[in-house]
Amino acid sequence: MNGLKGRVAIITGAGQGIGRSYAQHFAEAGAIPVIVDVNFDSAKAVEKEIRETGGDCLAVAADISNEEQVAALVEQTLGTYGRIDVLLNNAALFSSLTARPVLEIPLDEWRSVMEVNITGQFICARAVLPHMIERKWGRIINISSGTVTMGLPWLLHYVTSKAAVVGMTRSLAREVGEHGVTVNVILPGSTQTEIERSTTTPEVRQKIVDMQCIKRTETPDDLARVALFLASDDSGFVTGQSIAVDGGLTHL
Amino acid sequence: MESAPKDLAGRVVIITGAGQGIGRVYAEHFGAAGSKVVVAEINKENGEQAAKAINDAGGTAIAVPTDVTSEDSVKALAETVMDTYGGIQVLINNAAMSSVVKSRLIEETPLEDWDAFVRVNVNGTFLCSRAVVPIMRKAKWGRIINISSAGVNMGMGKLLNYVTSKAAIIGFTRGLAREVGPDGITTNAVLPGPVFTEIAREAETAAFKELLVTRQSIPRKEVAEDLVGTVMFLSSDASEFLTGQSVTVDGGLTHL
């Protein structure tokens, strides 16, 4: 992929799961991932893994819904590397959520999902944009979800928050396109990571695979390779778009 | 592109309508990436010129005169490619009636004109895909890239034949993806915006295109090279889990 070498990519929620895979793939492609996680120990562990393979990277602890912490993250990244080329808005509340009907979702939980999954992406994008606009180049990659296209029940707050990300992507793309910054959103399908989810039993997973065009379970690698494309020069005229990467399970 | 995906080298890539315009730009870039390029083109002279340019630049290409609306012609194309290269990995269904489209109201659109768009843009994509799928199935690997249009997202008036034919491509892409996914074949559609090429279009005047540019997120004229990165990505190993999708490449003018 073109032009990833030496590019600095802030990847939120990169201490585990799909985010960790993004960080590893970006490092392999010669980019410098900034591994952001609310859990500093897990971010440090990913940093160690990447450094052991000879890649440069930086672990930073930050809660993306906290303005000051995100400002500090940007400051530390610029202080260390002097540039931010890519923001991968991956951090989200998901695996900790209990699947339950609308009448049973507590308002507090609803609010915290919106705060992290929507407002967190806004705070991170707003924090990196002045720098990207100044340098006339940037890539913002937001993560939505195939559950939006499916209209999945029993996770109303999650699905609602991920639908908001599609709207944000389209509008933000129009605001920053003239400054050389593209904004796109990936809609992953049901992806297997090391994180256990009580609702995703092997039977459920098989049912999803049966509905896909490609009859195997999605892995983080499938997503990382698309993220690399959206972070590269090759996707320079693709902006405001939603890319479903789910083995052909859904279409927008 | 300075460096195309490495796995494109050696792959046999059929590009229909590659004798001019955007198709020819695809062909040249795949040639530079080390692919074995098949210029499938109805205009024999244009096809040969395009293939020659790739070979002169150190690439590998053949021109095969092809009418995508003719079952026999498409069958002969697949046979020629198999005889020459022994495989077909990528098909880019790019040939279409577009530059000749006339802007007119539905009540002024003759049936013959409508039929011609369905024949070339829809049936041509079907025939070429049908010809390569058995070969790709056997190899358990294939990439089919269909060219639709951002005009579908916009829903342009007075271009009903063109827009309808390009919308059909999206349905075709989704359905075909489900049929061939289990055999390692992906099918995706690319929706270009108003691309500025050397070909003058009857309906899309320069003034109209320039108006559209002001409505793009990236407010500059789209050129054929803007599409190349996406088409190459969809032809590569990296897009393995992306299928049945429509990727709009129009500088953020529209969304599906």
Side-chain angles (χ1 to χ4, degrees):
Chain A
M1 219 59 75
N2 279 331
L4 287 167
K5 204 148 277 174
R7 286 215 168 125
V8 175
I10 293 182
I11 305 171
T12 65
Q16 57 172 0
I18 301 171
R20 174 171 160 242
S21 176
Y22 289 142
Q24 289 164 339
H25 278 268
F26 272 77
E28 263 172 49
I32 302 166
V34 177
I35 302 145
V36 183
D37 207 286
V38 70
N39 179 334
F40 190 53
D41 288 343
S42 64
K44 277 302 242 189
V46 175
E47 180 190 66
K48 188 165 173 280
E49 283 169 11
I50 291 172
R51 290 224 171 127
E52 276 169 3
T53 63
D56 191 5
C57 63
L58 176 70
V60 180
D63 170 357
I64 58 160
S65 64
N66 181 305
E67 215 175 349
E68 285 79 35
Q69 289 185 26
V70 171
L73 154 70
V74 168
E75 212 168 296
Q76 192 184 341
T77 304
L78 290 176
T80 310
Y81 297 116
R83 58 193 284 177
I84 299 168
D85 303 279
V86 180
L87 167 66
L88 214 172
N89 265 323
N90 167 71
L93 286 182
F94 175 57
S95 52
S96 60
L97 299 173
T98 308
R100 51 187 162 193
V102 57
L103 298 181
E104 291 169 24
I105 296 180
L107 181 57
D108 282 353
E109 188 177 289
W110 175 279
R111 284 193 169 129
S112 61
V113 169
M114 300 310 151
E115 194 163 318
V116 175
N117 294 9
I118 305 176
T119 311
Q121 292 201 5
F122 161 71
I123 290 174
C124 290
R126 201 184 53 175
V128 300
L129 272 170
H131 171 74
M132 287 181 177
I133 288 169
E134 195 187 313
R135 286 186 52 231
K136 294 268 163 215
W137 202 96
R139 297 280 186 268
I140 296 177
I141 304 162
N142 298 325
I143 305 297
S144 175
S145 166
T147 61
V148 172
T149 342
M150 295 176 79
L152 190 79
W154 282 44
L155 275 172
L156 200 62
H157 41 10
Y158 177 74
V159 178
T160 303
S161 72
K162 288 301 187 181
V165 169
V166 173
M168 183 164 72
T169 300
R170 292 177 176 183
S171 293
L172 186 57
R174 294 211 185 266
E175 286 198 34
V176 299
E178 64 181 300
H179 302 298
V181 180
T182 69
V183 190
N184 292 288
V185 57
I186 293 175
L187 288 74
S190 179
T191 309
Q192 183 137 41
T193 71
E194 78 284 3
I195 307 166
E196 292 296 330
R197 292 195 69 242
S198 56
T199 49
T200 315
T201 61
E203 293 75 35
V204 168
R205 206 168 273 296
Q206 188 55 48
K207 268 189 193 161
I208 294 167
V209 168
D210 289 344
M211 289 190 288
Q212 291 169 186
C213 300
I214 299 169
K215 308 293 184 192
R216 66 163 173 82
T217 296
E218 179 160 10
T219 68
D221 293 350
D222 295 320
L223 294 162
R225 295 192 289 179
V226 178
L228 286 175
F229 167 66
L230 291 175
S232 74
D233 286 328
D234 297 345
S235 62
F237 217 63
V238 180
T239 192
Q241 303 305 322
S242 309
I243 317 277
V245 184
D246 61 4
L249 177 67
T250 68
H251 328 103
L252 199 63
Chain B
M1 302 232 317
E2 296 139 30
S3 64
K6 288 185 181 59
D7 55 278
L8 295 178
R11 287 208 171 130
V12 179
V13 182
I14 298 178
I15 306 166
T16 65
Q20 61 282 307
I22 301 171
R24 177 156 178 177
V25 173
Y26 293 150
E28 284 168 358
H29 279 83
F30 276 92
S35 304
K36 293 167 181 160
V37 179
V38 180
V39 178
E41 169 61 49
I42 195 163
N43 181 320
K44 192 163 181 282
E45 198 180 320
N46 284 3
E48 278 166 4
Q49 274 177 11
K52 184 174 184 296
I54 293 166
N55 289 319
D56 286 351
T60 307
I62 54 165
V64 184
T66 308
D67 174 359
V68 296
T69 67
S70 155
E71 211 170 355
D72 292 342
S73 175
V74 170
K75 194 164 163 261
L77 163 68
E79 281 168 5
T80 305
V81 177
M82 288 308 283
D83 289 348
T84 312
Y85 294 132
I88 299 170
Q89 280 82 42
V90 181
L91 168 66
I92 301 169
N93 276 313
N94 168 72
M97 281 179 73
S98 73
S99 56
V100 296
V101 65
K102 286 191 170 54
S103 175
R104 49 188 166 195
L105 293 165
I106 183 167
E107 53 268 52
E108 291 158 7
T109 305
L111 180 59
E112 304 76 61
D113 187 57
W114 177 273
D115 282 342
F117 277 84
V118 172
R119 229 173 15 245
V120 178
N121 297 6
V122 184
N123 300 2
T125 297
F126 159 69
L127 285 176
C128 292
S129 302
R130 198 182 59 173
V132 303
V133 159
I135 296 154
M136 291 178 175
R137 271 201 213 275
K138 234 177 251 168
K140 295 275 167 209
W141 202 96
R143 298 280 185 268
I144 298 175
I145 298 141
N146 301 319
I147 307 299
S148 175
S149 167
V152 175
N153 296 345
M154 294 180 74
M156 298 157 90
K158 294 189 189 176
L159 287 171
L160 209 55
N161 43 12
Y162 178 72
V163 174
T164 304
S165 70
K166 288 300 188 181
I169 296 301
I170 294 174
F172 176 80
T173 300
R174 292 177 178 183
L176 184 60
R178 297 217 181 264
E179 283 196 32
V180 299
D183 290 318
I185 306 167
T186 70
T187 315
N188 293 288
V190 172
L191 286 70
V195 178
F196 288 75
T197 70
E198 79 281 7
I199 306 168
R201 289 180 160 208
E202 288 191 34
E204 283 184 356
T205 61
F208 177 63
K209 279 187 171 180
E210 268 154 34
L211 172 72
L212 290 177
V213 169
T214 65
R215 295 187 187 160
Q216 290 169 191
S217 302
I218 301 170
R220 67 155 172 84
K221 292 178 181 179
E222 178 164 11
V223 293
E225 283 74 9
D226 290 317
L227 295 159
V228 170
T230 300
V231 169
M232 284 194 161
F233 171 67
L234 293 175
S235 304
S236 73
D237 286 327
S239 59
E240 178 183 330
F241 215 64
L242 209 164
T243 192
Q245 304 304 321
S246 307
V247 183
T248 303
V249 185
D250 65 358
L253 176 66
T254 68
H255 327 102
L256 193 66

